[in-house]
């Protein structure tokens, strides 16, 4: 019983048998009523290498009314288990399938959403990984490309957007028909349809004779917040940069970007019709870090038009390459494109991508970048920090290794050679070898086929005059958790060592040494005989992918002066190192708090500030010794209030500290301040208490029992939007009562009525670090329910529940025991097991870090 799965072997067999020419897809959306279905008629033309062979086409639908293969009607029983069996294909085939397909509320397939502001219905598709089959009958695997011609019947007055340019609709009365031109050859997972009374803003990319129509869409209720100009500006910078670097004109007829509701991911690279989460249309003030992240997402999806859509991985085992390339491309474009507003993108990369990768790479589920992807279940849990962030980090190293010019020369040859086709990793490596003259087999083996992170430590001896007598870099093999896949190896690293000294209260780089590190110990003779600088920073400029440690003296300077580095990148690297040491129990949480409070005083990069704020909160809630935790939380909340009041009026820092205080407030006075800011009886100069900030303030008041249901209802009247409804649901789940917790739990676990976004909000409200005792009884309920959830809910929904409701705040041996007992008895499927095992690792790590923090406290007592 394949269920909705598909194995790589099945895909391979089918690809060897079939060549797919075209799909003609007619969708009758009617008025898209709630709980309704839509008629989907698919005509596929394809040839087969072995006439008489049996195969199948994929379809997930409530019912099928017609299956006609080469003029002969098949028994409808051929449709079973998410597939239609095709008993004997001919050399040339035409298959017609008529089905009634279902709208979803999970963000998978054809998602249906009603905007409470105007009562109108908004639809969009999300097909990656295997969900085109929820909308039409499809050979659902990336290497069976074809052309797609969509014909869509929908209400008059709607906007309908797909991969091809939107035609004039035909017909009269209440319904119109949009007959799109066929697309170029592409994979099923990048086809798309967006339909509803969306509003669009239009522009054009022009270069020489080239004209590419550009569109940006959102719901009318968000139109007043849509800064289309800023979005077009970044988009055009990306067009300029990528077309030049790739030496390949944008391959599709137009480029639309559609901000859609309740979108699970950041965005999706549908060919010429990119969908993005509509939180990227900012309803309230956000910091520049949010604009930077949105720009990065825009560039990421644009890069996919070439790498992913024009040239596509053969199978999902190369998903990492697809995502790593786009992630690297977004950063390098932001760093280098003329006019870019975020030239410090490598700081953000170090701060976010590297942190994500290091975290993921230390989980028991870690795996080589080149992962075995045996089936669709494997790939669906593999959209992880290895695939996106470690892959991109290693790609950055590869670029350093072959040189950026050679890298792009190889990429250019790759696009020309494989346009509209499918590839595997060796196709890219081959093109890079040709362009660079380097043998990449050893590199690929060391970096792509092994798991884990190397640790680099300095080993130095200083004489009594303060001069360096010897300096070496020690490399440790990754500490792979038990059961992890892949080999723990030492790797070749190209790194830089930065030498920093204190000059007029700033830490300035006085020298930089670049070298190859290989093997367990690498001597650095260049440093011998020199006076010891204030800070010796390994992996300066973040060239390699490795954990680094500071020597004791450097750490002491950094602890006091982290904010005094003049450049943002070394600061980000030191922040990352301190965080990593905290997670590893090498730096006590109380010491990390001190370091953060001092360093944040002078940290100017707002993205880094916000990351550190999140990390401090996490450390205090998870890694602090429970006996000291309250003291730490109080210190943090007091600091947040002080920084909020001291911040420049209207600044991003002011907003970031306001949000931090809203999350951290504990004392009567602090909670009173939140209430006063909310009702306007106190104001802070320059701080706009706007829609989103109001919800943050209220959420904390509700969770601490300072505001009730009525306050939530009133807030919802002020903001009766879909976002408002999500916030309200989250607030209700955060109430500190057993009844509220039971209600929240039932709505998520015992019902499938919540949409993906409301469910996420309820889970977020349910899990409160300050309500440990109240939610403790749900540990047992979690393990009783989790397997049923996995088996009965869609992938996105079950992942939210499995990860989100794990008893993560019950940091104690009993949680490990309960997990182990469940693992032993439930015999979970590999993808389910992986998610639970990752959560278990969080408890193990927290116990270790708490012990380290306790020991530090005892030493000082
Ligand atoms: Zn991507």
């Amino acid at each position: 019983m394949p269920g909705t799965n598909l194995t790589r072997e099945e895909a391979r067999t089918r690809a060897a048998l079939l060549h797919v020419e075209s799909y003609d897809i007619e969708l009758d959306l009617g008025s898209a009523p709630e709980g309704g279905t839509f008629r989907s008629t698919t005509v596929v033309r394809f040839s087969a290498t072995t006439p008489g062979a049996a195969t199948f086409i994929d379809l997930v639908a409530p019912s099928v009314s017609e299956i006609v293969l080469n003029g002969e009607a098949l028994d409808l029983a051929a449709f079973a288990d998410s597939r239609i069996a095709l008993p004997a294909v001919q050399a040339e085939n035409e298959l017609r399938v008529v089905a009634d397909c279902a709208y979803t509320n999970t963000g998978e397939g054809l998602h249906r959403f009603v905007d409470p502001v105007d009562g109108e219905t908004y639809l969009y598709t999300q097909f990656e990984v295997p969900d085109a089959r929820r909308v039409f009958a499809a050979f659902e695997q990336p290497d069976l490309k074809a052309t797609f011609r969509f014909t869509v019947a929908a209400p008059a007055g709607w906007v309908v957007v797909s991969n091809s340019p939107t035609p004039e609709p035909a017909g009269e009365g209440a319904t119109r028909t949009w007959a799109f031109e066929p697309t170029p050859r592409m994979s099923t997972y990048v086809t798309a349809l967006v339909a509803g009374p969306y509003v669009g803003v239009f522009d054009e990319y022009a270069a020489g004779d080239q004209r590419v129509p550009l569109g940006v869409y959102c719901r009318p209720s968000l139109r007043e917040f849509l800064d289309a100009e800023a979005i077009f500006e970044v988009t055009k910078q990306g067009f300029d940069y990528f077309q030049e670097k790739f030496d390949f004109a944008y391959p599709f007829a137009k480029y639309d970007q559609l901000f859609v509701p309740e979108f699970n991911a950041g965005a999706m690279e549908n060919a010429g019709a990119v969908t993005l989460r509509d939180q990227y249309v900012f309803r309230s003030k956000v910091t520049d870090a949010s604009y930077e992240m949105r720009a990065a997402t825009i560039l990421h999806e644009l890069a996919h038009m070439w790498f992913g859509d024009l040239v596509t991985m053969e199978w999902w085992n190369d998903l990492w390459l697809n995502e790593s390339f786009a992630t690297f491309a977004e950063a390098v474009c932001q760093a280098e494109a003329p006019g870019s507003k975020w030239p410090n993108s490598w700081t953000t990369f170090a701060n976010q991508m590297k942190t994500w990768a290091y975290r993921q790479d230390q989980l028991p589920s870690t795996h080589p970048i080149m992962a075995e992807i045996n089936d669709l279940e494997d790939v669906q849990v593999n959209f992880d920090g290895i695939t996106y962030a470690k892959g991109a980090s290693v790609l950055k190293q590869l670029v350093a290794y072959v040189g950026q010019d050679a890298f792009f020369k190889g990429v250019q040859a790759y696009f020309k050679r494989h346009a509209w086709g499918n590839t595997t990793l060796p196709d890219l490596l081959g093109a890079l070898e040709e362009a660079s003259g380097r043998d990449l087999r050893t590199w690929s083996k060391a970096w792509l086929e092994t798991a884990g992170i190397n640790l680099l430590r300095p080993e130095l001896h200083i004489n009594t005059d303060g001069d360096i007598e010897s300096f070496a870099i020690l490399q440790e093999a990754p500490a792979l958790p038990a059961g992890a896949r892949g080999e723990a190896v030492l790797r070749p690293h190209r790194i830089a060592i930065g030498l920093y000294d204190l000059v007029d209260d700033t830490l300035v780089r006085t020298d930089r040494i670049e070298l190859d590190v290989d093997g367990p110990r690498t001597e650095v003779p260049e440093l011998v005989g020199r006076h010891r600088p204030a800070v010796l920073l390994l992996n300066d400029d973040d060239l390699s992918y490795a954990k680094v440690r500071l020597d004791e003296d450097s750490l002491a300077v950094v602890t006091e002066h982290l904010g005094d580095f003049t450049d943002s990148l070394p600061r980000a690297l030191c922040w990352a190192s301190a965080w990593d040491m905290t997670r590893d129990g090498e730096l006590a949480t109380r010491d990390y708090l001190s370091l953060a409070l001092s360093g944040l005083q002078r940290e100017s990069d707002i993205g880094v500030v916000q990351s550190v704020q999140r990390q401090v909160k996490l450390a205090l809630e998870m890694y602090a010794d429970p006996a000291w935790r309250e003291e730490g939380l109080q210190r943090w909340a007091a600091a947040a209030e002080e920084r909020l009041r001291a911040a420049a009026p209207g600044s991003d820092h002011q907003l970031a500290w306001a949000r931090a205080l809203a999350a951290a407030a504990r004392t009567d006075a602090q909670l009173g301040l939140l209430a006063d800011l909310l009702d306007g009886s106190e104001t802070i100069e320059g701080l706009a208490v706007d829609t989103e900030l109001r919800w943050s303030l209220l959420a904390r008041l509700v969770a601490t029992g300072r505001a009730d249901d009525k306050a939530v209802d009133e807030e919802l009247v002020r903001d009766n939007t879909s976002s408002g409804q999500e916030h309200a649901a989250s607030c209700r789940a955060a109430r500190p009562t057993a009844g509220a917790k039971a209600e929240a739990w039932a709505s998520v676990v015992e019902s499938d009525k919540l949409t993906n976004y409301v469910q996420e909000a309820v889970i977020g409200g349910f899990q409160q670090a300050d309500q440990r005792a109240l939610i403790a009884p749900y540990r047992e309920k979690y393990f009783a329910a989790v397997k049923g959830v996995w088996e009965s809910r869609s992938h996105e929904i079950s992942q939210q529940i499995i990860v989100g409701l794990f008893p993560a705040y019950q940091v104690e041996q009993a949680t490990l025991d309960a997990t182990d007992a469940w693992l032993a008895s439930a015999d979970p499927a590999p993808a389910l097991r992986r998610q639970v095992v990752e959560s278990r690792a969080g408890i193990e790590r927290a116990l270790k870090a708490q012990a380290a923090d306790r020991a530090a406290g005892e030493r000082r007592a």
Side-chain angles (χ1 to χ4, degrees), residues 376-389:
L376 292 176
E377 285 179 4
D378 274 354
V379 69
Q380 282 174 321
V381 291
N382 227 43
F383 283 79
D384 64 12
I386 305 288
T387 292
Y388 279 80

Side-chain angles (χ1 to χ4, degrees), residues 103-122:
Y103 298 104
T104 67
N105 65 354
T106 66
E108 299 152 298
L110 184 54
H111 184 84
R112 179 184 179 280
F113 167 88
V114 175
D115 189 334
V117 175
D118 56 18
E120 297 279 355
T121 300
Y122 298 84

Side-chain angles (χ1 to χ4, degrees), residues 532-730:
R532 199 223 123 89
V535 176
L536 281 154
L537 181 58
L538 301 188
N539 199 30
D540 201 8
D541 294 333
D542 202 25
L543 298 181
S544 193
Y545 175 82
K547 296 177 14 147
V548 297
R549 292 292 183 255
L550 296 163
D551 64 273
E552 218 173 289
D553 293 338
S554 295
L555 179 60
V557 175
V558 166
T559 304
E560 199 177 333
H561 294 281
L562 202 162
D564 296 330
F565 283 101
T566 46
D567 291 335
S568 60
L569 187 51
R571 284 201 308 272
L573 294 172
C574 288
W575 280 120
S577 181
W579 175 237
D580 188 50
M581 289 172 72
T582 309
R583 281 172 33 84
D584 281 358
E586 293 181 30
L587 182 66
T589 293
R590 61 196 70 199
D591 296 333
Y592 178 65
L593 176 63
S594 299
L595 180 148
L597 289 175
S598 138
L600 282 174
Q601 294 268 29
R602 277 151 294 175
E603 181 54 67
S604 56
D605 187 300
I606 189 66
V608 172
V609 168
Q610 291 179 287
S611 284
V612 174
Q613 288 174 335
R614 283 190 292 272
Q615 287 163 356
V616 168
K617 186 162 187 293
L618 175 65
L620 290 169
E621 287 170 351
M622 301 293 292
Y623 302 153
D625 173 16
W628 173 83
R629 182 164 57 213
E630 185 57 32
E631 188 187 329
L633 288 165
Q634 300 247 7
R635 269 186 75 192
W636 175 240
E641 183 181 351
E642 182 200 314
R643 305 286 161 92
L644 165 62
R645 293 190 185 279
S651 64
D652 280 357
H653 280 64
Q654 186 188 47
L655 177 59
W657 284 114
R659 290 190 170 284
L661 178 64
R666 318 188 66 71
T667 63
D668 283 347
Q670 287 158 357
L671 292 164
L673 172 60
L674 301 195
D676 291 348
L677 287 170
L678 188 61
D679 71 17
S681 57
E682 176 159 0
T683 56
I684 292 178
E685 191 195 343
L687 181 69
V689 183
D690 55 20
T691 311
E692 290 294 331
L693 186 54
R694 288 186 63 85
W695 281 112
S696 301
L697 298 169
L698 181 62
R700 184 67 186 156
L701 293 169
V702 171
T704 51
R706 305 273 173 145
D708 58 11
D709 263 357
K710 198 165 137 275
V712 176
D713 291 343
E714 284 168 10
E715 199 60 32
L716 190 54
V717 171
R718 294 178 72 118
D719 180 29
N720 193 14
T721 62
S722 55
S723 301
Q725 292 180 352
E726 290 146 21
H727 285 302
S730 186

